[in-house]
Amino acid sequence: MPKVTVDGQEIEVPDGATVLQACELAGKEIPRFCYHERLSIAGNCRMCLVEVKPGPPKPQASCALPATEGQEIRTDTPMVKTAREGVMEFLLINHPLDCPICDQGGECDLQDQSVAYGRGGSRYHENKRAVTEKYMGPLIKTVMTRCIHCTRCVRFSEEIAGVDEIGALYRGEDMQITTYLEQAAEHELSANVIDLCPVGALTSRPYAFEARPWELKKTLSIDVSDAVGANIRLDSRGREVMRALPRINDDVNEEWISDKARYQVDGLGKRRLDKVFMRKRGKLQPASWDEAFKAIAKQLKSDTSSIAAVAGDMVDCETMFAAKALLKACGSSLVEGRQTGMDYDVSSLSAVNFNSTFAGIENADAVLIVGSHIRWEAPLVNVRIRKAVKRGAKVFVVGPHWETTYPAEFLGNDLGVLNSLPKEVSEVFSKAERPAVIVGGAALKGAHGKALALASEWGAAFNVLHFSAARMGGLMLGFAQKGGMADLAKAAPKVLLALGADEMDFEPFADSLKVYIGHHGDRGAHAADIILPGASYAEKDGTYVNTEGRVQFAEKAVFAPGDAREDWTILRALADALKVDVGFDSFDQLQSAMIAAVPALGEEGLADYGALPKADAKAKAEGVLSAYPIKDFYLTNPIARASEVMQRCSAELLHGGELAEAAE
């Protein structure tokens, strides 16, 4: 490890570190615009200038200069100060200086660094260069006159997302950053360029002119739009969530989030259930809580045990535990979380877990994906697999074709191909040092056993990729039963509690009293006989477990609207109406009881599910996959379906619809 001196302080730096990284290790702040830790080095903004000896007697770009033994680095000399002032002056020559109307105001690198490192005055009196706005789709607003050509957006699209949609056209003074042919950026991570942009050239189109950062309350939360459990920050003003931004967590989402996680939040205020409804003479009519609870108690009068509960995809662990406690007190065990009807063995949680971990899948050198459209089911896992491919991994996919962002070989739609894999595929996996198998929801029924046997044969990491935020938490709480939804329907319960379950088929429960506890007027509410308005993920504290078994906690950002209540309080009040004891009266008591029942839910981090079960070497895969469970990436849950932005993305980016103007 080379030793270098930074402003008179000698430090040891890792091999391959740059001068900029050496300065940061020494506690020195180096201004930069183009350099980003997760992107390749471009060295084109020149803001990170330092003086280095031995070397030419001029400032050097520290981001692109390797740190070598014996270097003397100065960050505080008059030469460095003057050079940075000069660079800042050049960067601001064509900048429109329109901070009062720029959405980046208050969280802009250019603002901060011009104050800290700029001259404080301008000597430029010529005409400024202007650039026409580009169209980058319904999510990204562009004011390209502000662009300083740092190329972060270009490098993100090419290197991280793997979609070459943004680049530079023309040369010299005429250079412009644009999407080629000015088409919309169409991948699932496109809006991350907004966070990367160090100036106001790329900002959020739906959030334009909505709020300033200092007006917002910031709350740490977890994304529930898929099973990755990306760490997010919800920014709210009053009772409205204004935006969602990523939080850095290298183990889960690094610092990216999907467009759905970022933009479905406008659906939190639309189509909301804010009062109790009961179906009278075929129509849903407003009612009181007391009236609704009495109707449920009356239905269960002859047999309190004839009650079932189905959990939706975005429910927190506390709600599921409260529902299970209520049913147990009533004498029922009819609970199920796999609302779409999937039925697979849950006796061993390690056999339905993403055991590689997201960070670990990057190191795989051969990956077999069975029945998973990863790009839609978990865009951030797709990013990790792309990293593995860049390191030399080979990827094979069993299932219908989808557009990967890396070279991959599709082996057909028939799951039976796993029973006799082509010789060259078997050879790749038997020779691989760190192989991995990923099974998606579409193949859990037909190929789980065979995929587990193959993983055991190759010594591969075995992974199941869920796409519901509530799935692993529900399985840890035992919110699943043998036979799945089919057996639940056979039991013909008198009362069915649908906890935010909007994707389930309500037809088999035609004779049951259907009670929907949820937050949006979606499919579940349409089928319900009684609607009890609940709270969304942004309106309650809750524990979530992602598909790799990572327990995470989300905080309450805003209050639920109208008469809506947090789900656990509804279930607690229902227990009183049914005259049963559930053993908790407050959220803290509920959480303590849940942790006592499942201790792993009390510790944030990866839960230990034990070793994989012994694989059945004789297992066979059967079935043909005609499609994947997710038909539309942008409209997978009730919040997204209520979101105007997600509806617009679906229409424009997936279905190519021409959107009508307001006057039309």
Side-chain angles (χ1 to χ4, degrees):
M1 290 171 71
K3 287 182 179 169
V4 298
T5 307
V6 180
D7 293 347
Q9 175 190 350
E10 189 176 73
I11 59 163
E12 216 172 26
V13 297
D15 291 324
T18 62
V19 168
L20 186 148
Q21 290 167 325
C23 293
E24 295 207 323
L25 283 172
K28 303 293 177 183
E29 183 184 319
I30 302 292
R32 86 290 296 268
F33 292 112
C34 67
Y35 175 79
H36 191 277
E37 292 81 357
R38 299 185 199 278
L39 304 175
S40 62
I41 293 167
N44 53 11
C45 77
R46 317 311 285 178
M47 194 64 209
C48 62
L49 295 173
V50 295
E51 210 175 320
V52 181
K53 292 179 184 173
K58 63 174 187 178
Q60 300 203 55
S62 58
C63 69
L65 187 67
T68 55
E69 183 70 40
Q71 275 177 335
E72 284 183 45
I73 304 161
R74 301 297 307 191
T75 68
D76 54 1
T77 62
M79 185 206 281
V80 169
K81 182 176 182 294
T82 309
R84 287 177 182 170
E85 285 176 355
V87 169
M88 180 58 74
E89 203 172 353
F90 276 119
L91 284 174
L92 294 176
I93 272 179
N94 285 313
H95 199 77
L97 306 179
D98 56 351
C99 303
I101 61 150
C102 177
D103 267 317
Q104 198 90 326
E107 46 192 10
C108 172
D109 293 356
L110 190 63
Q111 276 184 339
D112 298 342
Q113 292 182 38
S114 61
V115 169
Y117 302 102
R119 282 183 75 246
S122 175
R123 297 176 288 182
Y124 187 75
H125 301 293
E126 311 303 317
N127 292 330
K128 287 180 180 270
R129 161 186 183 257
V131 182
T132 54
E133 282 193 28
K134 313 297 177 196
Y135 183 69
M136 290 195 185
L139 304 179
I140 305 166
K141 180 187 173 194
T142 64
V143 183
M144 298 314 286
T145 303
R146 298 173 187 153
C147 179
I148 60 168
H149 298 171
C150 70
T151 67
R152 280 185 182 182
C153 55
V154 178
R155 285 174 284 149
F156 172 82
S157 297
E158 290 181 358
E159 296 164 16
I160 307 295
V163 182
D164 295 350
E165 287 186 334
I166 303 178
L169 296 181
Y170 317 123
R171 299 174 66 182
E173 188 188 19
D174 296 324
M175 180 173 152
Q176 298 180 19
I177 303 290
T178 177
T179 49
Y180 301 117
L181 306 178
E182 296 197 25
Q183 296 295 312
E186 291 185 4
H187 59 88
E188 302 75 33
L189 301 165
S190 64
N192 286 292
V193 298
I194 294 166
D195 298 329
L196 287 172
C197 186
V199 296
L202 305 177
T203 54
S204 174
R205 189 180 284 271
Y207 178 69
F209 310 130
E210 289 290 330
R212 288 298 195 185
W214 54 84
E215 301 175 317
L216 304 174
K217 185 185 91 173
K218 298 162 180 63
T219 309
L220 307 184
S221 190
I222 301 297
D223 167 42
V224 296
S225 66
D226 58 29
V228 172
N231 290 207
I232 58 173
R233 189 186 89 197
L234 294 177
D235 287 1
S236 56
R237 185 174 62 188
R239 299 186 72 156
E240 184 183 359
V241 175
M242 304 297 289
R243 63 177 180 177
L245 295 176
R247 286 188 285 137
I248 296 176
N249 185 332
D250 285 338
D251 293 328
V252 183
N253 57 306
E254 298 177 286
E255 58 187 88
W256 323 120
I257 53 172
S258 72
D259 292 348
K260 183 165 50 178
R262 187 186 298 266
Y263 285 116
Q264 70 173 4
V265 292
D266 80 309
L268 289 169
K270 298 181 176 74
R271 292 194 202 163
R272 285 306 297 267
L273 300 172
D274 57 0
K275 53 169 77 82
V276 178
F277 286 92
M278 289 181 68
R279 196 173 291 279
K280 297 171 184 173
R281 292 185 292 281
K283 285 188 178 178
L284 287 168
Q285 310 279 358
S288 68
W289 287 98
D290 197 39
E291 206 181 338
F293 288 152
K294 277 180 179 168
I296 298 167
K298 185 182 175 186
Q299 184 79 357
L300 289 172
K301 202 168 186 182
S302 58
D303 181 11
T304 55
S305 67
S306 186
I307 181 171
V310 177
D313 290 346
M314 300 190 292
V315 184
D316 55 303
C317 292
E318 285 80 359
T319 299
M320 288 187 277
F321 181 79
K324 198 172 180 190
L326 172 65
L327 264 65
K328 188 178 178 185
C330 290
S332 169
S333 60
L334 298 173
V335 293
E336 183 54 69
R338 299 164 295 180
Q339 56 169 337
T340 52
M342 280 196 278
D343 173 26
Y344 44 85
D345 182 13
V346 293
S347 54
S348 167
L349 290 186
S350 58
V352 288
N353 184 49
F354 201 91
N355 297 296
S356 286
T357 72
F358 299 150
I361 199 72
E362 290 180 16
N363 300 316
D365 51 3
V367 182
L368 177 65
I369 300 169
V370 185
S372 179
H373 186 330
I374 293 187
R375 200 171 150 183
W376 279 8
E377 291 171 16
L380 297 170
V381 176
N382 199 53
V383 165
R384 303 275 193 173
I385 295 173
R386 180 173 158 75
K387 279 194 195 176
V389 172
K390 285 168 86 173
R391 291 171 181 166
K394 286 189 166 63
V395 177
F396 301 92
V397 186
V398 177
H401 189 274
W402 49 278
E403 207 172 310
T404 59
T405 56
Y406 39 78
E409 186 180 331
F410 283 79
L411 303 176
N413 297 8
D414 188 355
L415 294 175
V417 73
L418 296 174
N419 301 325
S420 55
L421 281 168
K423 187 182 173 190
E424 59 272 19
V425 177
S426 298
E427 278 180 10
V428 167
F429 281 92
S430 50
K431 288 177 184 172
E433 291 177 22
R434 298 174 301 280
V437 176
I438 299 174
V439 179
L444 271 174
K445 187 174 182 185
H448 183 272
K450 182 60 183 177
L452 186 59
L454 287 173
S456 174
E457 181 189 327
W458 297 327
F462 181 75
N463 305 296
V464 170
L465 184 64
H466 298 289
F467 40 83
S468 306
R471 185 68 75 246
M472 285 308 292
L475 296 181
M476 287 173 77
L477 288 164
F479 222 86
Q481 57 174 358
K482 203 169 181 188
M485 291 292 292
D487 277 22
L488 204 71
K490 279 178 196 165
K494 289 183 177 175
V495 172
L496 173 74
L497 297 180
L499 309 171
D502 288 279
E503 321 301 328
M504 68 175 280
D505 179 11
F506 285 91
E507 206 161 300
F509 300 93
D511 298 330
S512 306
L513 179 74
K514 295 177 281 296
V515 181
Y516 180 73
I517 302 175
H519 40 80
H520 276 76
D522 205 77
R523 296 164 189 164
H526 284 265
D529 299 310
I530 295 175
I531 293 173
L532 305 178
S536 72
Y537 75 102
E539 296 148 6
K540 58 187 173 184
D541 290 334
T543 306
Y544 297 91
V545 187
N546 74 359
T547 190
E548 57 173 357
R550 188 178 300 277
V551 179
Q552 302 184 108
F553 192 74
E555 295 174 9
K556 178 178 181 172
V558 292
F559 288 95
D563 289 339
R565 298 288 180 266
E566 292 182 33
D567 303 10
W568 75 268
T569 62
I570 297 172
L571 294 162
R572 176 66 188 81
L574 182 55
D576 283 346
L578 298 176
K579 297 184 173 56
V580 295
D581 179 27
V582 288
F584 57 83
D585 296 312
S586 69
F587 184 76
D588 288 342
Q589 288 177 358
L590 162 63
Q591 213 168 36
S592 299
M594 180 183 79
I595 292 165
V598 186
L601 290 173
E603 285 183 53
E604 288 201 285
L606 289 171
D608 183 7
Y609 296 142
L612 275 169
K614 198 169 186 308
D616 177 7
K618 294 178 182 173
K620 295 285 181 192
E622 54 187 29
V624 177
L625 299 181
S626 56
Y628 295 107
I630 294 179
K631 305 287 186 289
D632 188 321
F633 169 73
Y634 297 102
L635 305 175
T636 55
N637 63 64
I639 300 175
R641 287 192 284 269
S643 161
E644 186 185 337
V645 180
M646 291 293 95
Q647 293 279 2
R648 185 174 285 266
C649 285
S650 172
E652 186 175 339
L653 303 181
L654 290 186
H655 306 299
E658 286 293 324
L659 296 173
E661 296 293 330
E664 295 178 74

